[in-house]
Amino acid sequence: MTTLSVVGAGAAGNVLANRLTEDPSTSVLLLEAGGDDVKEPSVHMPIASPEMLSSDFDYHYKSEPQQRSSHGLENSQVVYPRGKGLGGSGSINYLLYTRGSRYDFDEWADLGCDGWSYRDVLPYFIKMEDNSNKEYLKSGYHGRSGPMKFSDLKKTPLIDAFLEAGQELGHPIIDVNGKEQLGFSNAQGNIHKGMRWSTAHGYLRPAMERANLDVAIHSPVNKILFDDDEASGVEVSKDGAVFNIRAKKEVILSAGSIESPRILMLSGIGPREHLQQHQIPVLADLPVGDNLQDHPMCVLEYAVEKPPSINVSNGYLGVPGAQGGLAFYRTRYASQDRLYPDIQVQMSSSLTGGIFRKVWNINSKVWESLYEREQTDNHQGLYLTTLLLHPKSTGTIRLKSNNPKDRPLIDPKFLSHPDDATTLAEGLKMQIQLQNTESFQKIGARLTERALPNSDKSSLYSEEYLEKFVRTMTLTGHHPTSTCRMGSADDDKAGAGFEEATSGGCFNYAKCNQRQYWGSHHHVS
């Protein structure tokens, strides 16, 4: 008899499966829509991250056509990668280890989320870490005996130039996960001995030795089942059949910011009018799927004369998707109330490469104008990605129909608030200043003088061009969040007032020797 059903074996679900099964009297069934990460070698190679974004471990989502952004993409649709398999998005992402700003955590606590201040969460960050940087360990902000392994990424000479350029512009070299987050840093990643180390490795695999954990892959959850107003189990598709799996105590939904609201709405928890539109009985009228937030980002390429870029042949197999340097800073538009950064810059020691045309869904006209010659000329270079960290625009997740097989409608509404385009353009302007430093000039790093279609390259540095660029080349920073709001009991926009509908009830396996069907704790099935 299973006590708990956990939906989603991603970053959160794997931690839950591990911690809950520490109690031998609690049995857990972990349900995952995708496959086994062990059976896909590319998952474990950090440099293969871009390829993973279009693999079987990705849901292959695209956004709805954007109205105020992304006009250089096919049909103005943003490719929206989300992990589908053990490890979740942690099995396909770029592995950069970056905690949230302390000011964000403190703001959540101020809004009523008790226990979520930075002081509250820091001990858990430290507890989870096995960090190999000895200097960082001295700071009191890192741990050495946790299940998640973190290490410094192998530095390229281009990363050194990036860090030195930041110092020339007055930015300190910092640990972005330490006391302060404003400054430049060589990134850390969840990498161990050159291989990806997701929560599937750190939390799930050790727990699979326990008799009270079952893991079911290729088992998408269609909806949550209810007895009256109490969650009693889940409806799951498996091998062409549909099964009702009952739980004795609780159903825990940890399927991510896209799948969690989709499952909730299919279960009757969501905006009343939207559910009624799709003939779904309304169990709770809550703003599920609202408030989608993400980090819109734009990429600029720089040609370099020396040294060489990063690739497999020159020994950088263990670097995630050619990523390396990080910078966090504040523009003149940053909030004066909270001292968090409003811009993040990520440096990659390579040009974008042809794979990114597919990954980013760039239309042929823009690709030919901005990127194609750089690929055919075999130029060496780097690219800098600028992300807007506190966008004012919010989007939605909605259902296409009441059929669980239909993909959700994802509309981030990037740059729908005019301040977002202005701030992101300002971030690009600050990024471009790097090429004026002695460090960048020593390696011959310069912005590739390729302009958008119907634009003159003489205007590349103007505010008008940069704002046009951000509206043309808006991409997702792969950080969607906030579609299932948490909050205090008196927050009518959060699910806190609906606790009875998400726990409790009678829970047993369906009658069909279910343990044999779902597989034992020693393997996944």
Side-chain angles (χ1 to χ4, degrees):
M1 180 181 293
T2 290
T3 309
L4 298 160
S5 179
V6 177
V7 180
N14 292 333
V15 177
L16 287 166
N18 181 298
R19 296 300 304 278
L20 290 168
T21 54
E22 288 176 354
D23 178 356
S25 67
T26 298
S27 56
V28 172
L29 173 63
L30 179 63
L31 296 157
E32 170 54 47
D36 187 350
D37 63 322
V38 169
K39 297 181 180 179
E40 176 49 68
S42 294
V43 166
H44 311 291
M45 297 169 52
I47 204 167
S49 298
E51 287 79 4
M52 292 308 303
L53 301 186
S54 56
S55 71
D56 290 341
F57 269 67
D58 179 23
Y59 271 98
H60 300 286
Y61 291 140
K62 286 184 181 179
S63 76
E64 295 298 286
Q66 296 300 284
Q67 302 302 311
R68 301 289 293 162
S69 73
S70 312
H71 305 313
L73 310 186
E74 294 286 356
N75 199 31
S76 296
Q77 289 181 284
V78 182
V79 170
Y80 232 81
R82 291 287 87 196
K84 184 181 181 182
L86 298 184
S89 294
S91 285
I92 68 171
N93 66 4
Y94 288 92
L95 300 108
L96 297 186
Y97 176 41
T98 310
R99 299 173 185 170
S101 166
R102 67 170 63 223
Y103 301 104
D104 286 324
F105 288 110
D106 289 344
E107 187 171 9
W108 294 350
D110 291 346
L111 291 171
C113 292
D114 293 337
W116 281 92
S117 72
Y118 185 70
R119 180 187 295 271
D120 291 324
V121 300
L122 179 59
Y124 295 96
F125 280 124
I126 295 172
K127 183 178 180 180
M128 79 168 183
E129 280 191 15
D130 181 1
N131 201 305
S132 64
N133 187 308
K134 294 180 180 179
E135 289 302 313
Y136 286 0
L137 289 170
K138 296 176 184 177
S139 69
Y141 286 86
H142 295 277
R144 190 67 180 96
S145 57
M148 290 301 295
K149 297 182 182 296
F150 299 99
S151 59
D152 297 346
L153 300 187
K154 182 176 180 179
K155 280 208 298 186
T156 70
L158 294 180
I159 298 300
D160 287 326
F162 175 74
L163 299 177
E164 291 167 6
Q167 287 181 301
E168 286 186 58
L169 294 174
H171 301 283
I173 303 299
I174 60 163
D175 165 17
V176 297
N177 297 314
K179 183 177 181 180
E180 301 293 341
Q181 200 173 47
L182 291 169
F184 279 56
S185 175
N186 183 48
Q188 287 200 304
N190 47 305
I191 295 173
H192 180 57
K193 296 182 179 179
M195 305 294 281
R196 180 187 296 270
W197 193 266
S198 71
T199 61
H201 289 284
Y203 285 91
L204 182 58
R205 296 292 169 188
M208 288 171 66
E209 297 300 317
R210 298 170 185 159
N212 54 338
L213 173 63
D214 284 295
V215 180
I217 58 173
H218 302 302
S219 303
V221 171
N222 299 331
K223 61 182 179 180
I224 301 169
L225 304 174
F226 290 89
D227 290 338
D228 296 325
D229 62 349
E230 292 186 339
S232 59
V234 290
E235 180 185 287
V236 180
S237 294
K238 180 81 171 180
D239 298 334
V242 176
F243 297 85
N244 290 344
I245 309 300
R246 297 285 171 179
K248 179 180 179 182
K249 193 169 184 180
E250 291 187 357
V251 175
I252 300 175
L253 185 58
S254 57
S257 53
I258 308 300
E259 285 296 299
S260 285
R262 184 186 73 86
I263 293 169
L264 285 172
M265 288 186 284
L266 288 169
S267 308
I269 303 170
R272 181 179 299 277
E273 290 185 7
H274 180 62
L275 300 186
Q276 291 175 337
Q277 173 189 350
H278 295 300
Q279 293 80 52
I280 298 173
V282 180
L283 186 59
D285 180 12
L286 287 169
V288 170
D290 289 356
N291 198 37
L292 171 62
Q293 299 178 47
D294 196 356
H295 292 150
M297 74 177 195
C298 291
V299 175
L300 291 176
E301 287 197 317
Y302 294 73
V304 298
E305 296 175 3
K306 59 179 182 179
S309 296
I310 186 174
N311 54 50
V312 174
S313 64
N314 56 23
Y316 292 99
L317 186 65
V319 176
Q323 300 284 341
L326 283 178
F328 288 88
Y329 51 77
R330 290 167 57 81
T331 70
R332 55 186 168 138
Y333 304 113
S335 167
Q336 298 304 308
D337 298 328
R338 303 273 182 179
L339 297 179
Y340 45 53
D342 59 342
I343 290 291
Q344 176 182 345
V345 173
Q346 297 174 187
M347 177 186 164
S348 301
S349 301
S350 70
L351 292 174
T352 53
I355 183 66
F356 287 94
R357 180 177 181 183
K358 178 180 179 181
V359 168
W360 292 337
N361 197 37
I362 301 173
N363 68 41
S364 58
K365 189 175 182 181
V366 170
W367 178 260
E368 291 167 4
S369 181
L370 282 181
Y371 302 108
E372 189 170 53
R373 191 182 68 195
E374 301 302 331
Q375 313 309 319
T376 57
D377 289 354
N378 195 31
H379 286 177
Q380 299 292 334
L382 59 90
Y383 67 93
L384 295 177
T385 303
T386 297
L387 297 88
L388 179 65
L389 297 182
H390 288 85
K392 297 179 180 178
S393 307
T394 62
T396 58
I397 305 295
R398 290 290 183 261
L399 299 175
K400 183 178 181 180
S401 74
N402 60 14
N403 186 343
K405 294 183 179 180
D406 282 342
R407 292 175 171 273
L409 306 178
I410 303 170
D411 188 0
K413 295 183 171 62
F414 283 141
L415 310 188
S416 55
H417 193 293
D419 289 355
D420 289 350
T422 302
T423 305
L424 189 51
E426 180 73 10
L428 289 181
K429 186 192 302 183
M430 295 177 71
Q431 176 210 116
I432 292 170
Q433 291 176 5
L434 290 167
Q435 73 175 359
N436 299 324
T437 63
E438 183 179 345
S439 301
F440 262 42
Q441 290 172 2
K442 280 182 180 178
I443 61 173
R446 68 191 187 282
L447 192 66
T448 55
E449 294 189 351
R450 308 296 302 279
L452 291 168
N454 304 317
S455 295
D456 192 291
K457 66 181 182 180
S458 64
S459 67
L460 286 177
Y461 305 109
S462 69
E463 291 189 11
E464 180 182 9
Y465 177 83
L466 290 176
E467 183 148 344
K468 177 181 179 181
F469 186 89
V470 302
R471 290 199 181 275
T472 304
M473 292 304 299
T474 329
L475 307 167
T476 171
H478 306 157
H479 303 150
T481 183
S482 305
T483 52
C484 302
R485 177 179 173 128
M486 67 179 183
S488 59
D490 57 357
D491 184 349
D492 60 3
K493 294 183 179 180
F498 197 58
E499 291 171 347
E500 290 184 356
T502 54
S503 65
C506 179
F507 199 102
N508 289 297
Y509 275 113
K511 296 183 181 297
C512 64
N513 192 9
Q514 201 65 51
R515 174 168 286 276
Q516 180 179 349
Y517 181 82
W518 293 110
S520 76
H521 58 280
H522 295 295
H523 64 277
V524 290
S525 63

